[in-house]
Amino acid sequence: MKFCLPFPGKPVPIQLSGLMMLHPFVLHKLIGVNLRSFMSNNGHEGLYKRLEQVLLSRREPTRELLDELLYFLLSQGITDETINIVFNDSPVLPWRLAMLGSGWDIEARSNAFLLHVEKQCLEAQRLIVEKRFKDAAIYMASDPLLAQIVWPQALELLASAKDIVSIQPLQASLMLETQLGHIAAWDLDFCRMNPNCRSTSVRTVLPSSVHKGKNPYALYFTWLRNEIGAKTIDSFLDHKAFLENDLIIGRTTAGEWNRGSRYPHPSILKKITGAIFAEENQPGAWHLYWGARYLNLLGYMAERCTELAALYMGSEQERKLAPWPMLPFRYSNFEEWCQNRYQFWYDFHNKTVN
C-alpha cells in the first residue's frame, strides 16, 4: 500500500509538539486553517507573529502576550468559561493556544484528549530534559492515560536512552499512536451526534486486509461510488446528478481518486456532495473525507519511517532506529495497526468519557 504526499508541494519534515504529538500547525495545514490570515484580517498580525514564536517553542509566553491574546479571544466571542480553562493552567501549552486561536471547542472529546496528553507529558518531558530516561519511562507507565499509548518495548527504549536525539524514532512512533487516538475520539464525537453514521464512520476508510492495497483515499472514492450505486468509474462520471449540475470530472482525475494516488480538492468535493447528497447527509461525506486525509497523513509518516528503517536492516544503524520498522505495539503493517488500535481507542473513549 502506498500513501500520498499529505500536502501539495515539496515534501518537508513533519513538525512535532512536545514529546509525542503532531504540531498544531500540521493539522491546521491539513484542514486548510490559516490562523495567520484569520488573525491578520482581524487586525492582529503582530499578535500572530508573537504567538507563532511561542507555538514553535522559540520563546516563552509573556504576560503581555497572554493579555493581548485574551483580548483577541473575547473579541471573537470565546466565552470567559472556556478562556479560564486554558489560562488557569500553567504553563500555557501550544495545543491549548492553537485551539483557542482557531476557535476549536476545547471541551469536545477529541480536543480534550489532545489537551490531556499534552498536559500529562509535561513531567515526562522534564525528566527527559534532565536525562532521567528511566524515571520518565516509569512515570509514563504509571500514568493512567500515557500508559495506554506506550507498550513494553517503547518503555525499554526510553529507559535505556542516552540522549534526547536517540529517542526521536520512538517519538515518531508514539506520535502516530497518539494521533490515531485523536481520530478515534473525533469519530466517536461525530457518531454520538449522528446516530445513523455507520457508513460515514472513519472505519469506512481504515485500511484493512479486506481491502488489501487500498489506501484511505481509494476507500473514500469507493464509498462515494457505492453511495450512488456506481460500480465503475464510467458509471460514476455519467451519473445523472453530475449531468444535471453541469459538473464535469475528467476520467484521468477520477482514475487517480480510484487508485488513491490523489484526493479530491475540497472545492471539487463541495460540488460533488452538493450534487449527490441531500443537505442533511453532506456532513457525513465531509467527516469521512477529513478522516481519510488524516489517516493518509499518518500512513505517509509511517511509510517514510518504515522505509528508512528497512534500508538499515542488519547494520548498526538498525538498533538506533528502533522501534522501526515495526509500528506501535509491534504491529508489522499499517493495516493491522490501524484496525486494532483504532478499535482500542474508540472503545477507550467510549468507556472513559460520557
Side-chain angles (χ1 to χ4, degrees):
M1 180 191 305
K2 300 295 289 183
F3 294 90
C4 300
L5 279 171
F7 310 111
K10 185 179 179 180
V12 295
I14 302 294
Q15 292 175 289
L16 299 190
S17 176
L19 179 60
M20 54 186 191
M21 302 169 69
L22 278 176
H23 196 279
F25 287 169
V26 177
L27 281 194
H28 280 175
K29 188 175 182 180
L30 183 74
I31 64 177
V33 170
N34 192 325
L35 186 57
R36 180 171 194 161
S37 294
F38 175 69
M39 296 184 75
S40 297
N41 292 340
N42 285 277
H44 292 276
E45 183 171 4
L47 172 61
Y48 171 80
K49 289 179 178 178
R50 294 193 298 279
L51 180 61
E52 181 182 44
Q53 295 300 305
V54 174
L55 292 175
L56 293 174
S57 301
R58 294 174 184 166
R59 61 179 287 186
E60 292 296 318
T62 63
R63 184 69 256 173
E64 179 185 9
L65 172 67
L66 295 178
D67 286 344
E68 192 175 350
L69 178 61
L70 178 63
Y71 172 78
F72 170 73
L73 295 172
L74 288 170
S75 73
Q76 298 303 309
I78 306 297
T79 66
D80 289 341
E81 181 181 4
T82 298
I83 290 172
N84 287 335
I85 291 173
V86 175
F87 285 88
N88 284 343
D89 276 337
S90 182
V92 178
L93 301 170
W95 265 105
R96 289 182 178 268
L97 287 176
M99 285 186 188
L100 269 182
S102 305
W104 292 4
D105 179 6
I106 64 172
E107 295 183 345
R109 186 191 323 265
S110 52
N111 296 334
F113 169 71
L114 286 184
L115 297 182
H116 194 183
V117 172
E118 182 176 51
K119 186 175 181 180
Q120 295 308 107
C121 279
L122 285 176
E123 177 63 11
Q125 289 170 226
R126 182 185 67 81
L127 293 169
I128 288 170
V129 168
E130 295 175 0
K131 296 188 176 181
R132 295 166 58 188
F133 297 103
K134 186 174 181 180
D135 289 339
I138 292 172
Y139 167 76
M140 293 181 71
S142 65
D143 182 86
L145 176 60
L146 302 185
Q148 311 305 316
I149 299 172
V150 296
W151 59 102
Q153 185 201 17
L155 293 170
E156 291 169 9
L157 289 169
L158 179 57
S160 62
K162 303 301 181 185
D163 54 52
I164 293 176
V165 173
S166 68
I167 67 169
Q168 287 179 348
L170 175 60
Q171 285 182 272
S173 191
L174 293 172
M175 175 274 296
L176 289 179
E177 183 69 23
T178 301
Q179 301 304 147
L180 188 64
H182 179 231
I183 292 176
W186 172 67
D187 195 30
L188 180 57
D189 279 341
F190 180 82
C191 290
R192 283 278 182 91
M193 292 186 292
N194 299 272
N196 298 319
C197 75
R198 183 174 180 181
S199 70
T200 52
S201 163
V202 170
R203 286 185 180 87
T204 304
V205 292
L206 281 178
S208 71
S209 57
V210 176
H211 303 289
K212 200 164 183 65
K214 284 195 170 188
N215 68 21
Y217 292 159
L219 291 170
Y220 182 72
F221 186 66
T222 298
W223 174 82
L224 268 182
R225 287 196 292 106
N226 290 341
E227 286 298 296
I228 61 174
K231 294 183 179 180
T232 66
I233 295 177
D234 287 335
S235 59
F236 175 81
L237 296 175
D238 293 336
H239 193 273
K240 64 178 183 178
F242 298 153
L243 300 177
E244 291 170 356
N245 287 274
D246 296 322
L247 179 56
I248 301 174
I249 302 168
R251 198 183 192 290
T252 299
T253 297
E256 291 171 336
W257 295 346
N258 191 58
R259 293 189 299 274
S261 59
R262 185 177 174 185
Y263 58 88
H265 189 276
S267 61
I268 297 297
L269 187 62
K270 184 177 181 180
K271 295 177 182 178
I272 293 173
T273 57
I276 64 178
F277 293 120
E279 186 174 350
E280 63 269 21
N281 294 328
Q282 292 181 28
W286 284 102
H287 176 73
L288 205 55
Y289 172 76
W290 292 117
R293 293 284 305 273
Y294 200 163
L295 285 168
N296 177 77
L297 171 63
L298 300 192
Y300 175 82
M301 292 187 288
E303 187 176 64
R304 297 285 80 78
C305 291
T306 301
E307 289 176 348
L308 178 62
L311 290 175
Y312 293 98
M313 291 291 285
S315 70
E316 175 61 22
Q317 194 71 12
E318 177 184 356
R319 181 180 59 82
K320 296 179 181 179
L321 293 173
W324 302 98
M326 303 298 284
L327 276 87
F329 288 84
R330 299 188 63 78
Y331 284 100
S332 61
N333 60 67
F334 190 81
E335 296 96 321
E336 289 184 5
W337 171 68
C338 253
Q339 288 288 331
N340 286 279
R341 294 303 296 175
Y342 168 86
Q343 189 60 53
F344 166 83
W345 283 112
Y346 194 93
D347 293 341
F348 174 84
H349 294 305
N350 204 19
K351 288 185 295 187
T352 56
V353 182
N354 292 328

